Amino acid sequence: MSAATAEVILSDNEIALTLSHGPWPPAFVADPSNRVSGLPAAIKLGKGLFFNPVLSRDGSMSCSDCHDPSHGFADPKARSVGKVILDRNALSLTNVRGHRWFGWAGGNDNLWAQSLVPILNPDEMNHDDESLKTAIAKSTWIQDYEALFGPLSEQAATDVSVNIAKSLAAYQETLETGPTSFDRFRNAMERGDIAAAAHYPLAAQRGLQIFLGRGNCAFCHSGPAFTNREFHDAGVPYFINQTRVDTGRYGGLEALFASPFTLAGSYSDDREKSGAWAVRQVQPLHSDFGTFRVPSLRGTARTAPYMHNGSLADLQAVVDHYNTIDLERLHTDGEAILTPLALSKRESSDLLKFLRTLSDDEG
């Protein structure tokens, strides 16, 4: 296929790269480590608990306080607030079921284990296993819980915590962004419908060319979800209030190796332990220090601020960051994949217009 008209300006190679970013959305595949994945009763329970303050020990907050549905299930605050101001901005939960690692540092290898983190963190929702079991027993959700998991009184407190987390994960798996104008363009190109593809604005096409080529953005933001699901140094300072350091992936691996809730562990419902190879094989490296998970760009226009510490207020600030990135800040032993883009004002505008076409889904 060639770019045969002035309205579609991509080269054959750019078209091929564009096709690799779809199709979207992906087909649902139940999580084998979570026996209630995809079950309507689990989704209902998980949704109810997600919006209910019963998951915080003092009843003061719910999951939705940091993962705001009106903000792409992300947090508009630069750094999320629990019992204290936390170190990081809460990531969006949309499209989360496709991840390999969870959280900014990848401290978990499955969604239900990640769902436990804020509930049991003293700085966030502050439950322990026993207090969570008691809270569920006294809540309006006890009948739904027992219909799904059996009598609560006969279950160990840690098992109750894991069951709650698995129902939350079942709900979060449904939080998916829809097809956008980029997808309509991409799909038209795949079927050879140049006339339909030409409806995609020229400015967005020019921005896509920068994204795929000169900007090298697709190196990390690859595939249908626009993320390689791994960890990179984006040149963002990892000092916290100039007194502490966020170790990023390095600390995330320490948490992962210490967790009893991995895909290799006994709490996984997958008898084959089919995803356990990743946690068994991953090795900590010095270059992991200060690296963070590459977020999906789908729906990103709704989830400002950006970066692990919320330090970039909007998409323009993100483009400006990469436009003038400080190479002295990057790891000397890391990947040499970033250089200042030095985009013109129009090129920056084009790149922004492209990025916004990843967030203009309807409904």
PDB file of all heavy atoms in Angstrom, residues 75-100:
ATOM      1  N   ASP A  75      -5.514  10.253  39.042  1.00  0.00           N
ATOM      2  CA  ASP A  75      -5.615  11.264  40.091  1.00  0.00           C
ATOM      3  C   ASP A  75      -5.175  12.617  39.549  1.00  0.00           C
ATOM      4  O   ASP A  75      -4.058  12.750  39.044  1.00  0.00           O
ATOM      5  CB  ASP A  75      -4.717  10.870  41.266  1.00  0.00           C
ATOM      6  CG  ASP A  75      -5.011  11.663  42.528  1.00  0.00           C
ATOM      7  OD1 ASP A  75      -5.656  12.732  42.438  1.00  0.00           O
ATOM      8  OD2 ASP A  75      -4.597  11.225  43.621  1.00  0.00           O
ATOM      9  N   PRO A  76      -6.022  13.644  39.623  1.00  0.00           N
ATOM     10  CA  PRO A  76      -5.621  14.973  39.159  1.00  0.00           C
ATOM     11  C   PRO A  76      -4.576  15.646  40.044  1.00  0.00           C
ATOM     12  O   PRO A  76      -3.978  16.644  39.634  1.00  0.00           O
ATOM     13  CB  PRO A  76      -6.931  15.752  39.150  1.00  0.00           C
ATOM     14  CG  PRO A  76      -7.807  15.048  40.136  1.00  0.00           C
ATOM     15  CD  PRO A  76      -7.434  13.606  40.059  1.00  0.00           C
ATOM     16  N   LYS A  77      -4.347  15.119  41.243  1.00  0.00           N
ATOM     17  CA  LYS A  77      -3.291  15.675  42.101  1.00  0.00           C
ATOM     18  C   LYS A  77      -1.934  15.193  41.613  1.00  0.00           C
ATOM     19  O   LYS A  77      -1.779  14.071  41.139  1.00  0.00           O
ATOM     20  CB  LYS A  77      -3.493  15.240  43.551  1.00  0.00           C
ATOM     21  CG  LYS A  77      -4.810  15.638  44.184  1.00  0.00           C
ATOM     22  CD  LYS A  77      -4.848  15.184  45.634  1.00  0.00           C
ATOM     23  CE  LYS A  77      -6.203  15.476  46.279  1.00  0.00           C
ATOM     24  NZ  LYS A  77      -7.261  14.559  45.769  1.00  0.00           N
ATOM     25  N   ALA A  78      -0.931  16.030  41.762  1.00  0.00           N
ATOM     26  CA  ALA A  78       0.417  15.643  41.336  1.00  0.00           C
ATOM     27  C   ALA A  78       0.879  14.406  42.091  1.00  0.00           C
ATOM     28  O   ALA A  78       1.382  13.451  41.498  1.00  0.00           O
ATOM     29  CB  ALA A  78       1.389  16.794  41.563  1.00  0.00           C
ATOM     30  N   ARG A  79       0.721  14.420  43.403  1.00  0.00           N
ATOM     31  CA  ARG A  79       1.021  13.255  44.234  1.00  0.00           C
ATOM     32  C   ARG A  79      -0.221  12.930  45.037  1.00  0.00           C
ATOM     33  O   ARG A  79      -0.814  13.803  45.687  1.00  0.00           O
ATOM     34  CB  ARG A  79       2.221  13.534  45.140  1.00  0.00           C
ATOM     35  CG  ARG A  79       3.539  13.580  44.386  1.00  0.00           C
ATOM     36  CD  ARG A  79       4.648  14.229  45.189  1.00  0.00           C
ATOM     37  NE  ARG A  79       4.827  13.616  46.500  1.00  0.00           N
ATOM     38  CZ  ARG A  79       5.558  14.161  47.480  1.00  0.00           C
ATOM     39  NH1 ARG A  79       6.159  15.327  47.275  1.00  0.00           N
ATOM     40  NH2 ARG A  79       5.682  13.549  48.640  1.00  0.00           N
ATOM     41  N   SER A  80      -0.622  11.688  44.971  1.00  0.00           N
ATOM     42  CA  SER A  80      -1.878  11.278  45.603  1.00  0.00           C
ATOM     43  C   SER A  80      -1.803  11.424  47.111  1.00  0.00           C
ATOM     44  O   SER A  80      -0.717  11.413  47.708  1.00  0.00           O
ATOM     45  CB  SER A  80      -2.203   9.835  45.216  1.00  0.00           C
ATOM     46  OG  SER A  80      -2.397   9.727  43.821  1.00  0.00           O
ATOM     47  N   VAL A  81      -2.964  11.537  47.735  1.00  0.00           N
ATOM     48  CA  VAL A  81      -3.050  11.790  49.174  1.00  0.00           C
ATOM     49  C   VAL A  81      -3.827  10.664  49.839  1.00  0.00           C
ATOM     50  O   VAL A  81      -4.978  10.376  49.476  1.00  0.00           O
ATOM     51  CB  VAL A  81      -3.730  13.137  49.464  1.00  0.00           C
ATOM     52  CG1 VAL A  81      -3.858  13.358  50.971  1.00  0.00           C
ATOM     53  CG2 VAL A  81      -2.958  14.271  48.813  1.00  0.00           C
ATOM     54  N   GLY A  82      -3.173   9.989  50.788  1.00  0.00           N
ATOM     55  CA  GLY A  82      -3.839   9.016  51.631  1.00  0.00           C
ATOM     56  C   GLY A  82      -3.924   9.590  53.031  1.00  0.00           C
ATOM     57  O   GLY A  82      -4.513  10.642  53.258  1.00  0.00           O
ATOM     58  N   LYS A  83      -3.294   8.912  53.979  1.00  0.00           N
ATOM     59  CA  LYS A  83      -3.167   9.494  55.315  1.00  0.00           C
ATOM     60  C   LYS A  83      -2.121  10.605  55.324  1.00  0.00           C
ATOM     61  O   LYS A  83      -2.113  11.477  56.189  1.00  0.00           O
ATOM     62  CB  LYS A  83      -2.778   8.418  56.333  1.00  0.00           C
ATOM     63  CG  LYS A  83      -3.734   7.233  56.379  1.00  0.00           C
ATOM     64  CD  LYS A  83      -5.146   7.680  56.671  1.00  0.00           C
ATOM     65  CE  LYS A  83      -6.104   6.511  56.607  1.00  0.00           C
ATOM     66  NZ  LYS A  83      -7.523   6.957  56.647  1.00  0.00           N
ATOM     67  N   VAL A  84      -1.227  10.524  54.350  1.00  0.00           N
ATOM     68  CA  VAL A  84      -0.192  11.538  54.132  1.00  0.00           C
ATOM     69  C   VAL A  84      -0.115  11.794  52.633  1.00  0.00           C
ATOM     70  O   VAL A  84      -0.746  11.103  51.835  1.00  0.00           O
ATOM     71  CB  VAL A  84       1.178  11.058  54.667  1.00  0.00           C
ATOM     72  CG1 VAL A  84       1.119  10.827  56.166  1.00  0.00           C
ATOM     73  CG2 VAL A  84       1.616   9.776  53.942  1.00  0.00           C
ATOM     74  N   ILE A  85       0.683  12.773  52.230  1.00  0.00           N
ATOM     75  CA  ILE A  85       0.958  12.962  50.806  1.00  0.00           C
ATOM     76  C   ILE A  85       1.900  11.852  50.373  1.00  0.00           C
ATOM     77  O   ILE A  85       2.977  11.660  50.951  1.00  0.00           O
ATOM     78  CB  ILE A  85       1.579  14.344  50.539  1.00  0.00           C
ATOM     79  CG1 ILE A  85       0.601  15.456  50.938  1.00  0.00           C
ATOM     80  CG2 ILE A  85       1.950  14.478  49.067  1.00  0.00           C
ATOM     81  CD1 ILE A  85       1.178  16.847  50.806  1.00  0.00           C
ATOM     82  N   LEU A  86       1.481  11.099  49.385  1.00  0.00           N
ATOM     83  CA  LEU A  86       2.245   9.944  48.931  1.00  0.00           C
ATOM     84  C   LEU A  86       3.360  10.359  47.970  1.00  0.00           C
ATOM     85  O   LEU A  86       3.430  11.521  47.549  1.00  0.00           O
ATOM     86  CB  LEU A  86       1.303   8.933  48.283  1.00  0.00           C
ATOM     87  CG  LEU A  86       0.143   8.482  49.187  1.00  0.00           C
ATOM     88  CD1 LEU A  86      -0.841   7.616  48.420  1.00  0.00           C
ATOM     89  CD2 LEU A  86       0.673   7.735  50.416  1.00  0.00           C
ATOM     90  N   ASP A  87       4.201   9.421  47.611  1.00  0.00           N
ATOM     91  CA  ASP A  87       5.363   9.745  46.786  1.00  0.00           C
ATOM     92  C   ASP A  87       5.034   9.862  45.311  1.00  0.00           C
ATOM     93  O   ASP A  87       5.798  10.489  44.560  1.00  0.00           O
ATOM     94  CB  ASP A  87       6.443   8.673  46.960  1.00  0.00           C
ATOM     95  CG  ASP A  87       7.067   8.701  48.347  1.00  0.00           C
ATOM     96  OD1 ASP A  87       6.881   9.708  49.060  1.00  0.00           O
ATOM     97  OD2 ASP A  87       7.741   7.715  48.711  1.00  0.00           O
ATOM     98  N   ARG A  88       3.905   9.248  44.877  1.00  0.00           N
ATOM     99  CA  ARG A  88       3.635   9.146  43.439  1.00  0.00           C
ATOM    100  C   ARG A  88       2.216   9.566  43.103  1.00  0.00           C
ATOM    101  O   ARG A  88       1.327   9.582  43.945  1.00  0.00           O
ATOM    102  CB  ARG A  88       3.866   7.704  42.966  1.00  0.00           C
ATOM    103  CG  ARG A  88       5.294   7.216  43.152  1.00  0.00           C
ATOM    104  CD  ARG A  88       5.421   5.748  42.828  1.00  0.00           C
ATOM    105  NE  ARG A  88       6.789   5.266  43.068  1.00  0.00           N
ATOM    106  CZ  ARG A  88       7.110   4.003  43.286  1.00  0.00           C
ATOM    107  NH1 ARG A  88       6.170   3.077  43.282  1.00  0.00           N
ATOM    108  NH2 ARG A  88       8.370   3.656  43.484  1.00  0.00           N
ATOM    109  N   ASN A  89       2.039   9.857  41.833  1.00  0.00           N
ATOM    110  CA  ASN A  89       0.725  10.100  41.257  1.00  0.00           C
ATOM    111  C   ASN A  89       0.065   8.759  40.956  1.00  0.00           C
ATOM    112  O   ASN A  89       0.720   7.841  40.453  1.00  0.00           O
ATOM    113  CB  ASN A  89       0.878  10.913  39.968  1.00  0.00           C
ATOM    114  CG  ASN A  89      -0.419  11.079  39.214  1.00  0.00           C
ATOM    115  OD1 ASN A  89      -0.699  10.320  38.282  1.00  0.00           O
ATOM    116  ND2 ASN A  89      -1.210  12.060  39.589  1.00  0.00           N
ATOM    117  N   ALA A  90      -1.218   8.623  41.272  1.00  0.00           N
ATOM    118  CA  ALA A  90      -1.927   7.366  41.023  1.00  0.00           C
ATOM    119  C   ALA A  90      -2.139   7.161  39.524  1.00  0.00           C
ATOM    120  O   ALA A  90      -2.725   7.998  38.848  1.00  0.00           O
ATOM    121  CB  ALA A  90      -3.268   7.362  41.747  1.00  0.00           C
ATOM    122  N   LEU A  91      -1.664   6.054  39.023  1.00  0.00           N
ATOM    123  CA  LEU A  91      -1.805   5.720  37.609  1.00  0.00           C
ATOM    124  C   LEU A  91      -3.257   5.496  37.231  1.00  0.00           C
ATOM    125  O   LEU A  91      -4.076   5.047  38.044  1.00  0.00           O
ATOM    126  CB  LEU A  91      -1.027   4.434  37.304  1.00  0.00           C
ATOM    127  CG  LEU A  91       0.478   4.557  37.075  1.00  0.00           C
ATOM    128  CD1 LEU A  91       1.147   3.206  37.270  1.00  0.00           C
ATOM    129  CD2 LEU A  91       0.746   5.076  35.674  1.00  0.00           C
ATOM    130  N   SER A  92      -3.578   5.754  35.971  1.00  0.00           N
ATOM    131  CA  SER A  92      -4.899   5.418  35.451  1.00  0.00           C
ATOM    132  C   SER A  92      -5.118   3.912  35.500  1.00  0.00           C
ATOM    133  O   SER A  92      -4.186   3.118  35.291  1.00  0.00           O
ATOM    134  CB  SER A  92      -5.035   5.907  34.008  1.00  0.00           C
ATOM    135  OG  SER A  92      -6.216   5.398  33.427  1.00  0.00           O
ATOM    136  N   LEU A  93      -6.356   3.517  35.768  1.00  0.00           N
ATOM    137  CA  LEU A  93      -6.708   2.096  35.775  1.00  0.00           C
ATOM    138  C   LEU A  93      -7.325   1.642  34.456  1.00  0.00           C
ATOM    139  O   LEU A  93      -7.648   0.457  34.311  1.00  0.00           O
ATOM    140  CB  LEU A  93      -7.682   1.804  36.919  1.00  0.00           C
ATOM    141  CG  LEU A  93      -7.129   2.010  38.331  1.00  0.00           C
ATOM    142  CD1 LEU A  93      -8.208   1.710  39.365  1.00  0.00           C
ATOM    143  CD2 LEU A  93      -5.892   1.150  38.571  1.00  0.00           C
ATOM    144  N   THR A  94      -7.500   2.551  33.509  1.00  0.00           N
ATOM    145  CA  THR A  94      -8.068   2.118  32.236  1.00  0.00           C
ATOM    146  C   THR A  94      -7.058   1.237  31.491  1.00  0.00           C
ATOM    147  O   THR A  94      -5.857   1.475  31.539  1.00  0.00           O
ATOM    148  CB  THR A  94      -8.457   3.314  31.348  1.00  0.00           C
ATOM    149  OG1 THR A  94      -7.318   4.153  31.141  1.00  0.00           O
ATOM    150  CG2 THR A  94      -9.586   4.112  31.993  1.00  0.00           C
ATOM    151  N   ASN A  95      -7.571   0.204  30.861  1.00  0.00           N
ATOM    152  CA  ASN A  95      -6.767  -0.739  30.074  1.00  0.00           C
ATOM    153  C   ASN A  95      -5.740  -1.484  30.916  1.00  0.00           C
ATOM    154  O   ASN A  95      -4.743  -2.000  30.397  1.00  0.00           O
ATOM    155  CB  ASN A  95      -6.069  -0.013  28.916  1.00  0.00           C
ATOM    156  CG  ASN A  95      -7.030   0.814  28.091  1.00  0.00           C
ATOM    157  OD1 ASN A  95      -8.140   0.387  27.802  1.00  0.00           O
ATOM    158  ND2 ASN A  95      -6.625   2.016  27.725  1.00  0.00           N
ATOM    159  N   VAL A  96      -6.001  -1.594  32.215  1.00  0.00           N
ATOM    160  CA  VAL A  96      -4.998  -2.162  33.117  1.00  0.00           C
ATOM    161  C   VAL A  96      -4.878  -3.679  32.962  1.00  0.00           C
ATOM    162  O   VAL A  96      -3.847  -4.261  33.310  1.00  0.00           O
ATOM    163  CB  VAL A  96      -5.334  -1.766  34.580  1.00  0.00           C
ATOM    164  CG1 VAL A  96      -6.542  -2.537  35.107  1.00  0.00           C
ATOM    165  CG2 VAL A  96      -4.142  -1.951  35.495  1.00  0.00           C
ATOM    166  N   ARG A  97      -5.884  -4.324  32.429  1.00  0.00           N
ATOM    167  CA  ARG A  97      -5.830  -5.792  32.393  1.00  0.00           C
ATOM    168  C   ARG A  97      -4.770  -6.315  31.426  1.00  0.00           C
ATOM    169  O   ARG A  97      -4.396  -7.479  31.502  1.00  0.00           O
ATOM    170  CB  ARG A  97      -7.195  -6.367  32.027  1.00  0.00           C
ATOM    171  CG  ARG A  97      -7.698  -6.085  30.626  1.00  0.00           C
ATOM    172  CD  ARG A  97      -9.048  -6.769  30.414  1.00  0.00           C
ATOM    173  NE  ARG A  97      -9.689  -6.378  29.175  1.00  0.00           N
ATOM    174  CZ  ARG A  97      -9.462  -6.964  28.002  1.00  0.00           C
ATOM    175  NH1 ARG A  97      -8.614  -7.973  27.926  1.00  0.00           N
ATOM    176  NH2 ARG A  97     -10.099  -6.554  26.917  1.00  0.00           N
ATOM    177  N   GLY A  98      -4.267  -5.496  30.549  1.00  0.00           N
ATOM    178  CA  GLY A  98      -3.268  -5.966  29.607  1.00  0.00           C
ATOM    179  C   GLY A  98      -1.836  -5.880  30.103  1.00  0.00           C
ATOM    180  O   GLY A  98      -0.910  -6.238  29.372  1.00  0.00           O
ATOM    181  N   HIS A  99      -1.622  -5.436  31.338  1.00  0.00           N
ATOM    182  CA  HIS A  99      -0.259  -5.212  31.819  1.00  0.00           C
ATOM    183  C   HIS A  99       0.440  -6.509  32.214  1.00  0.00           C
ATOM    184  O   HIS A  99      -0.208  -7.489  32.568  1.00  0.00           O
ATOM    185  CB  HIS A  99      -0.271  -4.266  33.015  1.00  0.00           C
ATOM    186  CG  HIS A  99      -0.738  -2.879  32.674  1.00  0.00           C
ATOM    187  ND1 HIS A  99      -1.060  -1.952  33.635  1.00  0.00           N
ATOM    188  CD2 HIS A  99      -0.950  -2.270  31.481  1.00  0.00           C
ATOM    189  CE1 HIS A  99      -1.449  -0.829  33.047  1.00  0.00           C
ATOM    190  NE2 HIS A  99      -1.390  -1.004  31.739  1.00  0.00           N
ATOM    191  N   ARG A 100       1.750  -6.482  32.180  1.00  0.00           N
ATOM    192  CA  ARG A 100       2.577  -7.568  32.710  1.00  0.00           C
ATOM    193  C   ARG A 100       3.016  -7.262  34.141  1.00  0.00           C
ATOM    194  O   ARG A 100       3.099  -8.139  34.986  1.00  0.00           O
ATOM    195  CB  ARG A 100       3.818  -7.766  31.834  1.00  0.00           C
ATOM    196  CG  ARG A 100       4.675  -8.962  32.232  1.00  0.00           C
ATOM    197  CD  ARG A 100       6.148  -8.740  31.896  1.00  0.00           C
ATOM    198  NE  ARG A 100       6.392  -8.403  30.516  1.00  0.00           N
ATOM    199  CZ  ARG A 100       6.705  -9.284  29.569  1.00  0.00           C
ATOM    200  NH1 ARG A 100       6.793 -10.555  29.873  1.00  0.00           N
ATOM    201  NH2 ARG A 100       6.935  -8.893  28.342  1.00  0.00           N
TER     202      ARG A 100
END
